[in-house]
Amino acid sequence: MAKEELTPMMRQFRDLKAKHPDAILLFRCGDFYETYLDDAVTASQVLGITLTRRNNGKSSSPTEMAGFPHHALDTYLPRLIRAGHRVAICDQLEDPKLTKKLVKRGITELVTPGVAMSDNVLSARENNFLAAVNFGKNSVGVSFLDISTGEFLVAEGTSEYVDKLLANFAPKEVLIMRGMRQRFEGFFGGKFFIFELEDWTFNESTAKEKLCKHFSVHNLKGFGVEHLKTALVAAGAVMCYLEITQHTQTSHISSIRRIEEDHCVRLDRFTARNLELVQPMNEGGRSLLNVIDQTLTPMGARMLRRWVLFPLRTVKEITTRQDGVEYFFRQPDFRDLAEEELRNIGDLERIVSKVAVGRANPRDMQQLRVALESIAVIRKACVDAQPTAIRELGLRLDPCQELHDRIFREITPDPPIMSGKPGIIANGVNEELDELRRISTTGKDYLLQIQQRESEATGIPSLKIGYNNVFGYYIEVRNTYKGQVPDEWIRKQTLAQAERYITQELKELESTILGAKDRIVSLEYEIFTQLRARVSEQSQRVQKTAQAIAFLDVLCSFASTAVHNHYCRPEVDLSGEIRITQGRHPVVEQMLKNTLFVPNDTVLGADGCRAAIITGPNMGGKSTYMRQNALIALMAQIGSFVPAKSA
């Protein structure tokens, strides 16, 4: 269809679609999000919504169209993203009531699998990483960003090393330079959702400029990543992509750090898969993570997943974790208190990120208040504890008392989920708001007084005052009594059984009540956004606390698992020996319902014996025994207790 043949609205759609031709454009029309042409065909197939056709100009060729109500966006958007589509959200940028011309529209957000903030899109117990891979002359650089938590990581090394990182971090989307797809898939396979960027986004000077500007620094030495040139180019590409997708509120991305490869065991994708660390190979099976994950917060669950895939290599760090686990293990009262409070905290990490990008709703703010209350309780219990590891962890917890008190004072206990609804702000916060509420309330009381007065004056017992969006407040009189209606009443509507009238007094009262209601909504939203901005200023404090809570949650989870599954604390040293007495496979023993798992001993490394040959019939348990020992060693190196009598 030629552009001059289109209606003004379809020309507007075409112009906006041209900015992101590879994305499905959700075009806001009144109370609906509409899709057109090929987008409509795709949306109807993915979402199961009706595909229709209509004429949109002089051309006889009809336009495909499919849409859904705007309030159903949180239902339909995740389904498009999970199906591997990029989605551009086009909203109305002005009130249609205030313009006689075509409503101004613009793309307010580009949502992709790797750049998502909606709770309905994200998995609570997994990070949602966006990755960028940069091929340098002598190394490969990679960066990972979870915009929903603000975590930003970089690394560089051989293609084999980057392959392990990609396998373990499992990014939902990978950015590469245009023309590099074949090279990328040759090294890392074709299982990733790839998006190609122009070559200028993979430029060293551009990357340094964008990163330094974002972190408000002259150089990146303070982050310990200045020397990782190839990786920083990848990080710069990520920052460019955030601009392209119009994610410009990124104050919660407050640091960038190097992946400490020297501190962790490098597990390749085959090891992680064969040991079923985070994903079972068979449907209905269980992974190691399924068995040991007793975490009570989403950020704790995400941290535990990371620990499983990146076991530690230093005895000191392992011992520190074990000391914390042992205190939880030995002190059931402390463990019970921690578990009770951890259940109240929710996803503190993602809530504060939503605050920073201006997406937190009143319920999120109330949840933040509840979380800070529980954090204060946990902090006191940790600071009073004996082990240094637990006390230090407690000192990292910041209850942000002034933020808690302000939210408690300003937000109602059970606010609406939408920030454009009344009932968010508590009484006593703002004098004008309190007065407007009084007017709104007394106005309704006055309506009842008018109804009573007019009923008595006219002798019409069934007279009642109602309201609709067409002509506001009205007096309804059944046909039986319409002969008793005063001459000054103005008839506005005739029904089958009644007549509806308005009066000058009703119109004046309507103006007062509705004006107060509108002002209440706008004033509450104004106060709420001020509060949200104040919380955003303190986002780094809350982020650090969220990380400490996640750490504590994992230690508590390890202790709870150890108690329930009868694990012991392993001794970890540099002797090069493995000595396991009555070891058990942590997953298989949980799968055996009515059968006891037969424990096995293992001794390797003593007297120079570093290998053993295992023989036996098929299905005799050789593979289970080998995996059992690998899992016990891995569990020990993440700081967990292990399924054995001693190890």
Side-chain angles (χ1 to χ4, degrees), residues 16-41:
L16 290 166
K17 175 68 178 175
K19 295 180 179 180
H20 298 285
D22 54 348
I24 293 175
L25 182 64
L26 299 183
F27 192 78
R28 180 73 180 267
C29 288
D31 290 335
F32 284 80
Y33 278 110
E34 302 282 9
T35 57
Y36 301 110
L37 304 169
D38 292 342
D39 287 353
V41 176

Side-chain angles (χ1 to χ4, degrees), residues 468-485:
N468 67 25
N469 291 326
V470 179
F471 45 82
Y473 288 106
Y474 58 81
I475 300 173
E476 184 172 298
V477 178
R478 297 186 66 79
N479 289 339
T480 309
Y481 299 100
K482 67 180 181 180
Q484 297 170 234
V485 171

Side-chain angles (χ1 to χ4, degrees), residues 512-533:
T512 302
I513 294 173
L514 295 186
K517 285 182 177 178
D518 290 343
R519 179 59 183 150
I520 284 170
V521 170
S522 63
L523 188 55
E524 285 202 45
Y525 182 71
E526 184 181 320
I527 296 168
F528 175 73
T529 53
Q530 289 171 358
L531 173 61
R532 192 166 60 187

Side-chain angles (χ1 to χ4, degrees), residues 359-598:
R359 291 184 174 220
N361 61 47
R363 297 269 180 91
D364 291 326
M365 298 296 277
Q366 198 60 276
Q367 177 57 50
L368 175 58
R369 177 191 66 80
V370 171
L372 292 175
E373 284 180 2
S374 289
I375 286 165
V377 176
I378 294 172
R379 185 185 193 278
K380 185 179 185 309
C382 289
V383 171
D384 292 342
Q386 292 299 318
T388 303
I390 297 295
R391 285 204 309 275
E392 289 180 350
L393 200 54
L395 293 172
R396 288 169 55 194
L397 299 176
D398 183 353
C400 302
Q401 194 63 45
E402 71 280 11
L403 287 184
H404 166 273
D405 293 347
R406 184 167 174 179
I407 297 170
F408 180 80
R409 186 174 65 251
E410 295 187 8
I411 303 293
T412 56
D414 188 22
I417 194 167
M418 300 298 292
S419 52
K421 300 281 186 181
I424 299 170
I425 306 301
N427 291 324
V429 174
N430 181 279
E431 289 184 9
E432 182 186 354
L433 181 60
D434 292 344
E435 177 63 17
L436 289 166
R437 284 174 174 161
R438 187 192 64 75
I439 292 170
S440 180
T441 303
T442 56
K444 292 175 183 176
D445 293 338
Y446 193 45
L447 282 171
L448 292 174
Q449 293 175 20
I450 293 174
Q451 180 176 300
Q452 180 67 25
R453 187 192 70 204
E454 294 297 339
S455 179
E456 292 172 356
T458 59
I460 304 173
S462 60
L463 176 151
K464 66 179 182 181
I465 293 179
Y467 176 85
N468 67 25
N469 291 326
V470 179
F471 45 82
Y473 288 106
Y474 58 81
I475 300 173
E476 184 172 298
V477 178
R478 297 186 66 79
N479 289 339
T480 309
Y481 299 100
K482 67 180 181 180
Q484 297 170 234
V485 171
D487 294 338
E488 63 269 21
W489 289 11
I490 303 167
R491 188 171 65 186
K492 293 296 293 185
Q493 189 178 25
T494 300
L495 306 177
Q497 304 293 327
E499 299 276 3
R500 289 176 175 174
Y501 303 85
I502 62 170
T503 67
Q504 184 61 31
E505 182 183 27
L506 267 185
K507 297 312 291 180
E508 291 174 359
L509 186 60
E510 176 188 313
S511 176
T512 302
I513 294 173
L514 295 186
K517 285 182 177 178
D518 290 343
R519 179 59 183 150
I520 284 170
V521 170
S522 63
L523 188 55
E524 285 202 45
Y525 182 71
E526 184 181 320
I527 296 168
F528 175 73
T529 53
Q530 289 171 358
L531 173 61
R532 192 166 60 187
R534 174 59 184 152
V535 176
S536 179
E537 291 170 4
Q538 305 297 317
S539 60
Q540 288 189 39
R541 290 172 63 190
V542 183
Q543 281 179 324
K544 290 176 181 176
T545 294
Q547 283 295 299
I549 281 290
F551 196 101
L552 187 139
D553 189 15
V554 177
L555 299 184
C556 185
S557 171
F558 282 163
S560 180
T561 303
V563 170
H564 294 136
N565 296 345
H566 308 291
Y567 291 175
C568 73
R569 175 174 177 166
E571 181 183 344
V572 179
D573 57 28
L574 299 175
S575 66
E577 294 184 21
I578 294 179
R579 290 181 178 272
I580 299 170
T581 304
Q582 295 185 24
R584 313 182 311 272
H585 192 295
V587 180
V588 173
E589 74 167 350
Q590 297 300 316
M591 300 291 285
L592 298 174
K593 294 181 179 178
N594 300 313
T595 308
L596 288 175
F597 186 93
V598 178

Side-chain angles (χ1 to χ4, degrees), residues 154-156 161 258-266 313:
V154 290
E156 69 180 38
Y161 174 52
R258 180 172 67 96
I259 297 171
E260 302 285 351
E261 64 268 26
D262 297 336
H263 293 286
C264 301
V265 179
R266 298 185 183 184
R313 294 176 60 183

